[in-house]
Amino acid sequence: MAAPLVLVVLAAVTVRAALYRSSLAVFIAERVEVASPLNAWKRVVEGLALLDLGVSPYSGAIFHETPLIIYLFHFLIEYAELVFMITDVLTAVALYLAIQDFNKVVFKKQKLLIELDKYAPDVAELIQTPMEMHYIPLKVALFYLLNPYTVMSCVAKSTCTINNSVIAFFILATIKGSAFLSAVFLALATYQSLYPLTLFAPALLYLLQRQFIPIKLKSRSFWLYTMQYASLYLCSLVVIICLSFFLLNSWDFIPSVYGFILSVPDLTPNIGLFWYFFAEMFEHFSLFFVCVFQINVFFYTIPLAIKLKEHPVFFMFVQLAIISIFKSYPTVGDVALYMAFLPVWSHLYRFLRNIFILSCVLIFCSFLFPVLWHLWIFAGSANSNFYYAITLTFNIGQILLISDYFYAFLRREYYLTHGLHLTRQDGTEAMLVLK
Amino acid sequence: CTSRFWFNYRHVANTLSVYRSVKRLGIPDSHIVLMLADDMACNPRNPKPATVFSHKNMELNVYGDDVEVDYRSYEVTVENFLRVLTGRIPPSTPRSKRLLSDDRSNILIYMTGHGGNGFLKFQDSEEITNVELADAFEQMWQKRRYNELLFIIDTCQGASMYERFYSPNIMALASSQVGEDSLSHQPDLGIGVHLMDRYTFYVLEFLEEIHPASQTNMNDLFQVCPKSLCVSTPGHRTDLFRRDPRNVLITDFFGSVRKVEITAEALALHRGVAALESKFPEEELATEPLKYAEQLPVAQIIHQKPKQKDWHPPGGFILGLWALIIMVFFKTYGIKHMKHIF
């Protein structure tokens, strides 16, 4: 499988290099859908320039990157394009290896359950075979590398690419089973943008499953392992934050990075839901609504953990999607990350109900974003409501996509254990409904 | 000009016409305070943007490249106007917005807008009364801010505005008497509004014939716009003026004319200078000539490029970071790789 992967990587690198040299690079770098105040390249350059002039980059409201990014780009700023391309390639390779391992795990588990007779007799067509699973890692890498969202994000040199790569390495480490590395990468991802904190739960569930520790609240080994993992994670987070203190000898970066993510002061339009609400809200209520919106991101972790505790990797996928929909400054780079996982669940295709409409909605909205932006800002014949409508539609499309996959996944699990042809008590055919 | 809104185009055109004549006759922008309450040239309803016309058929664009508006839009208020006149201005006001006159200055004040018996409307929301105006002029007289003042007003019932003046050396002209309305001159079908008021139109025609050397006097200005052309009766008031209006030239107020005498003989200057020089050589000033202390070496700074202070991450940080990375590496892959690396 190495050769096709190399081919895909080469194609992706060519596309990115071609776009870097074309005139579209400047246009893409300025698009608000691709570059948010948190991860725009312009701001990184500005912060480094301020540093060269002897001023702390966090003194204004421009720079919201972490000190490790300052350190990284201080030495690599001339090779920025190369850095971003290599990052994208590394992400794709990490995803490839992760999904390869994950496939083996899935297959082993399936075999175990078949031997334990946990499956109903007539579900032969639902079982995943190695043949169809053989190309999934390659498809994942392909989906990630050649996704227009990823390409745009890379050409715009948005640090979302780096965030994606850290999350991809975290997923790789988790699936390989190394608790220490996964804690370290999760700490790095949380350190950069706060929201991967919610990925702690699926990672923990996966590692517990791997160690064959049952997830019971009274079990001692469960709590022991949880404490170990949590302490690894928290310690690495604390160490990284303390290390960042020593870069500039100040704690300025904490309000600039985490305060900024949590309190959402910058209301530049983006593809998220925060800006419009807070632009029209009275000051008096803004604290309340900021809390509500931020809780909304973290809120789905516990119910999903309860429902999906047997399937932590699907949980991770859903959680990634929720982060990229509800985070305070989403960009299309975040969307690209969870979309890369869609081939892993291609076996759910027969249960997806609205996939055609949803893909149409997502594609149309992606095309309408620049159109309505132009109409609003340049032509002046539209206003912010138009752009917000497309934002809303895009997010609704994403949410429905995730809930569709969720429904399809649960339905398949149900069929696996209860048989394909469900009958009600009186013998007529039954339908599964997600309540 | 004190009126807002597009349909008061003519007031802006009036003011700009007088501004234009005054500039043409030699008064520079530094000596003119122009207050326009609305922007007609760039008004979205103006079919010919960046122009303000004062003739039908658009013969004369009074909004050229060199119009300097000192008080614009919402800055034209009664308070600002009175502050300009009396000089009670906050210290931060720029020079262009001040009336920097002294007791040798002749001041021309031209006001136009909508008015009534005893008041002039500013910005559709406030008024200046004739009493306030008279008091302001008295303050100017007491503070010696003018030598002679010519006050022209083109509004309905304009004569009521000069009834209350009591300070010396003021001459006033108005476009209509109390109880009469001043009417506008001509609508322009291309632009859609009236372009000028009648009185100012005829005053402008009169002023177009004045050049810096003309000897026309005030009596001729009083004859401008008789009732047959203006429909309203223009009025004037000269009782407070010390000189006879027959002897007052138009260019005294409208133009900047200086008396220049050309002489062909040379003046001997050395006598005084030699006397001065002879005094000093006795006192040998041993001290160095006084220089302005160079507190800020400006010349040095502006010719110096900013020093490129390269920022480097502190050593402790680099050490800590790489130590951590190596620790993580060895923790995951085991210590046994150490001997392969070293």
Side-chain angles (χ1 to χ4, degrees):
Chain A
M1 289 306 286
L5 182 63
V6 166
L7 223 65
V8 165
V9 160
L10 275 178
V13 165
T14 316
V15 166
R16 285 164 173 73
L19 275 176
Y20 271 130
R21 292 283 161 258
S22 76
S23 62
L24 279 179
V26 174
F27 170 71
I28 291 176
E30 290 172 346
R31 301 246 28 108
V32 281
E33 298 97 18
V34 181
S36 77
L38 266 184
N39 52 31
W41 177 246
K42 222 171 32 163
R43 293 176 181 244
V44 173
V45 172
E46 175 94 21
L48 290 175
L50 281 175
L51 209 48
D52 275 339
L53 289 172
V55 174
S56 155
Y58 298 110
S59 49
I62 289 280
F63 189 70
H64 301 287
E65 302 280 356
T66 56
L68 278 182
I69 299 279
I70 299 183
Y71 177 66
L72 179 74
F73 282 113
H74 179 69
F75 297 107
L76 294 176
I77 193 145
E78 286 106 48
Y79 312 107
E81 298 170 358
L82 216 60
V83 166
F84 282 103
M85 284 201 278
I86 292 178
T87 316
D88 258 352
V89 167
L90 282 176
T91 315
V93 169
L95 287 176
Y96 177 86
L97 294 170
I99 301 298
Q100 233 180 11
D101 261 353
F102 175 60
N103 276 346
K104 294 195 190 113
V105 167
V106 159
F107 200 58
K108 253 198 304 198
K109 189 163 153 201
Q110 210 169 236
K111 214 160 89 167
L112 183 71
L113 288 173
I114 290 178
E115 279 170 18
L116 289 178
D117 252 348
K118 286 281 175 73
Y119 285 162
D122 56 350
V123 294
E125 58 201 44
L126 287 182
I127 309 274
Q128 284 181 296
T129 61
M131 273 308 288
E132 69 192 34
M133 284 168 43
H134 182 58
Y135 283 106
I136 290 182
L138 184 66
K139 278 197 222 168
V140 166
L142 192 82
F143 261 52
Y144 184 74
L145 279 177
L146 294 180
N147 192 349
Y149 291 153
T150 330
V151 172
M152 285 206 298
S153 209
C154 180
V155 170
K157 292 192 273 217
S158 133
T159 55
C160 186
T161 324
I162 297 181
N163 204 22
N164 284 356
S165 105
V166 173
I167 296 180
F169 278 114
F170 153 70
I171 294 178
L172 176 64
T174 314
I175 293 187
K176 289 261 188 197
S178 155
F180 177 60
L181 261 188
S182 116
V184 164
F185 279 116
L186 187 62
L188 267 179
T190 313
Y191 164 73
Q192 191 174 353
S193 79
L194 204 51
Y195 297 102
L197 177 64
T198 55
L199 293 173
F200 178 80
L204 181 65
L205 287 172
Y206 183 83
L207 290 166
L208 284 171
Q209 222 184 40
R210 214 186 142 85
Q211 308 278 53
F212 303 111
I213 301 175
I215 304 168
K216 288 193 204 319
L217 278 176
K218 302 234 191 328
S219 144
R220 232 190 100 239
S221 52
F222 165 69
W223 283 113
L224 194 67
Y225 196 82
T226 312
M227 285 298 124
Q228 274 182 337
Y229 189 61
S231 64
L232 273 174
Y233 170 62
L234 286 170
C235 282
S236 19
L237 193 59
V238 164
V239 162
I240 293 175
I241 291 187
C242 289
L243 193 66
S244 326
F245 169 74
F246 288 113
L247 187 77
L248 290 167
N249 274 322
S250 73
W251 294 107
D252 275 347
F253 71 97
I254 292 187
S256 271
V257 181
Y258 305 113
F260 183 78
I261 295 179
L262 287 175
S263 67
V264 194
D266 185 322
L267 297 175
T268 325
N270 48 46
I271 61 174
L273 302 159
F274 280 65
W275 59 277
Y276 190 79
F277 270 97
F278 289 102
E280 63 177 5
M281 194 175 286
F282 291 115
E283 288 271 338
H284 187 59
F285 299 106
S286 63
L287 180 63
F288 171 66
F289 277 101
V290 152
C291 294
V292 165
F293 275 63
Q294 298 289 0
I295 289 175
N296 190 32
V297 185
F298 295 98
F299 187 69
Y300 299 99
T301 313
I302 311 240
L304 279 174
I306 297 173
K307 186 75 191 171
L308 289 174
K309 61 180 184 246
E310 311 292 327
H311 315 284
V313 179
F314 187 72
F315 180 20
M316 207 177 295
F317 163 69
V318 176
Q319 193 63 259
L320 269 178
I322 289 178
I323 291 176
S324 63
I325 298 173
F326 293 114
K327 73 191 280 203
S328 45
Y329 293 100
T331 59
V332 291
D334 302 305
V335 174
L337 182 63
Y338 79 80
M339 275 196 179
F341 284 98
L342 293 180
V344 182
W345 288 290
S346 53
H347 57 90
L348 297 173
Y349 181 70
R350 56 182 291 178
F351 298 115
L352 291 172
R353 288 175 303 171
N354 306 320
I355 192 69
F356 175 67
I357 291 208
L358 290 174
S359 45
C360 283
V361 162
L362 290 176
I363 293 176
F364 280 178
C365 287
S366 320
F367 281 118
L368 279 176
F369 271 122
V371 169
L372 283 162
W373 179 258
H374 178 86
L375 273 182
W376 173 23
I377 301 284
F378 297 109
S381 53
N383 57 34
S384 59
N385 295 322
F386 290 67
Y387 193 76
Y388 185 60
I390 299 300
T391 304
L392 265 183
T393 323
F394 187 71
N395 283 323
I396 289 176
Q398 283 182 293
I399 294 172
L400 286 176
L401 183 75
I402 299 308
S403 56
D404 215 10
Y405 265 94
F406 188 61
Y407 166 78
F409 190 83
L410 291 179
R411 195 167 159 188
R412 177 175 172 271
E413 293 301 312
Y414 191 79
Y415 280 154
L416 277 177
T417 45
H418 292 91
L420 258 183
H421 303 288
L422 302 168
T423 52
R424 287 186 219 170
Q425 271 148 348
D426 52 0
T428 55
E429 203 180 321
M431 262 297 291
L432 259 186
V433 177
L434 184 70
K435 280 228 167 145
Chain B
C1 161
T2 58
S3 333
R4 312 207 108 234
F5 310 125
W6 172 245
F7 45 81
N8 292 323
Y9 184 104
R10 59 188 188 281
H11 296 144
V12 173
N14 289 350
T15 322
L16 284 172
S17 317
V18 175
Y19 172 81
R20 183 182 166 277
S21 311
V22 148
K23 268 184 92 162
R24 188 177 53 84
L25 291 170
I27 301 189
D29 273 316
S30 55
H31 289 247
I32 304 179
V33 175
L34 176 61
M35 296 177 148
L36 294 180
D38 201 356
D39 183 6
M40 296 307 169
C42 298
N43 195 309
R45 290 173 74 170
N46 190 348
K48 310 270 172 203
T51 60
V52 174
F53 290 109
S54 67
H55 267 77
K56 198 163 58 166
N57 296 328
M58 298 178 237
E59 286 162 14
L60 187 60
N61 175 16
V62 291
Y63 195 83
D65 282 338
D66 57 348
V67 168
E68 186 186 293
V69 182
D70 302 306
Y71 283 85
R72 59 190 70 194
S73 188
Y74 288 107
E75 292 169 4
V76 178
T77 59
V78 174
E79 182 191 339
N80 279 348
F81 177 61
L82 292 177
R83 281 188 186 276
V84 165
L85 287 182
T86 54
R88 294 169 188 246
I89 282 189
S92 55
T93 319
R95 282 180 72 94
S96 58
K97 284 182 156 166
R98 294 178 189 247
L99 180 65
L100 298 162
S101 56
D102 56 16
D103 63 331
R104 297 309 311 153
S105 314
N106 290 353
I107 302 185
L108 162 71
I109 299 182
Y110 174 84
M111 300 181 76
T112 180
H114 288 290
N117 189 355
F119 67 90
L120 170 64
K121 188 170 77 157
F122 268 66
Q123 298 270 15
D124 218 22
S125 58
E126 52 180 0
E127 304 148 351
I128 189 171
T129 57
N130 46 8
V131 177
E132 281 176 348
L133 202 54
D135 285 341
F137 287 160
E138 176 63 17
Q139 280 191 47
M140 287 172 80
W141 176 252
Q142 303 246 353
K143 290 166 93 159
R144 304 277 181 266
R145 278 169 75 77
Y146 71 90
N147 174 32
E148 291 171 346
L149 196 139
L150 175 63
F151 176 75
I152 306 183
I153 184 158
D154 186 350
T155 63
C156 305
Q157 309 190 48
S160 61
M161 287 306 284
Y162 62 62
E163 274 170 0
R164 299 290 193 124
F165 292 165
Y166 55 92
S167 319
N169 268 354
I170 301 186
M171 190 176 339
L173 281 123
S175 58
S176 55
Q177 300 294 333
V178 174
E180 283 180 348
D181 287 337
S182 289
L183 301 174
S184 56
H185 184 62
Q186 358 151 303
D188 181 296
L189 293 174
I191 296 184
V193 284
H194 289 265
L195 292 188
M196 274 194 93
D197 282 331
R198 285 175 190 249
Y199 183 70
T200 311
F201 179 75
Y202 290 108
V203 165
L204 181 64
E205 266 192 2
F206 175 78
L207 286 176
E208 288 287 306
E209 284 151 30
I210 309 284
H211 52 89
S214 74
Q215 299 293 314
T216 338
N217 56 38
M218 280 295 165
N219 274 341
D220 301 321
L221 190 56
F222 296 155
Q223 308 306 322
V224 162
C225 204
K227 187 153 173 148
S228 53
L229 288 174
C230 258
V231 183
S232 56
T233 323
H236 53 92
R237 180 177 175 180
T238 52
D239 55 313
L240 295 166
F241 209 73
R242 287 193 190 143
R243 289 193 287 159
D244 190 348
R246 214 177 16 217
N247 302 330
V248 178
L249 296 178
I250 299 283
T251 49
D252 276 355
F253 288 101
F254 283 88
S256 170
V257 175
R258 286 180 180 75
K259 289 193 172 46
V260 177
E261 276 180 26
I262 304 177
T263 168
E265 43 180 52
L267 281 177
L269 285 176
H270 2 279
R271 202 166 20 108
V273 171
L276 283 172
E277 269 185 7
S278 58
K279 261 199 275 176
F280 276 41
E282 284 111 48
E283 317 167 26
E284 287 282 323
L285 295 167
T287 56
E288 271 185 23
L290 291 171
K291 271 199 305 202
Y292 183 73
E294 276 230 83
Q295 286 153 347
L296 194 65
V298 174
Q300 258 184 305
I301 290 177
I302 57 181
H303 291 294
Q304 189 186 52
K305 283 206 176 61
K307 229 174 18 157
Q308 282 288 18
K309 276 187 296 197
D310 250 348
W311 173 80
H312 280 290
F317 175 81
I318 303 184
L319 204 66
L321 184 68
W322 288 101
L324 275 176
I325 291 179
I326 291 182
M327 259 172 34
V328 166
F329 176 74
F330 284 129
K331 179 76 174 56
T332 29
Y333 292 107
I335 209 87
K336 63 185 188 295
H337 290 273
M338 275 264 260
K339 73 173 194 295
H340 293 286
I341 298 179
F342 292 108

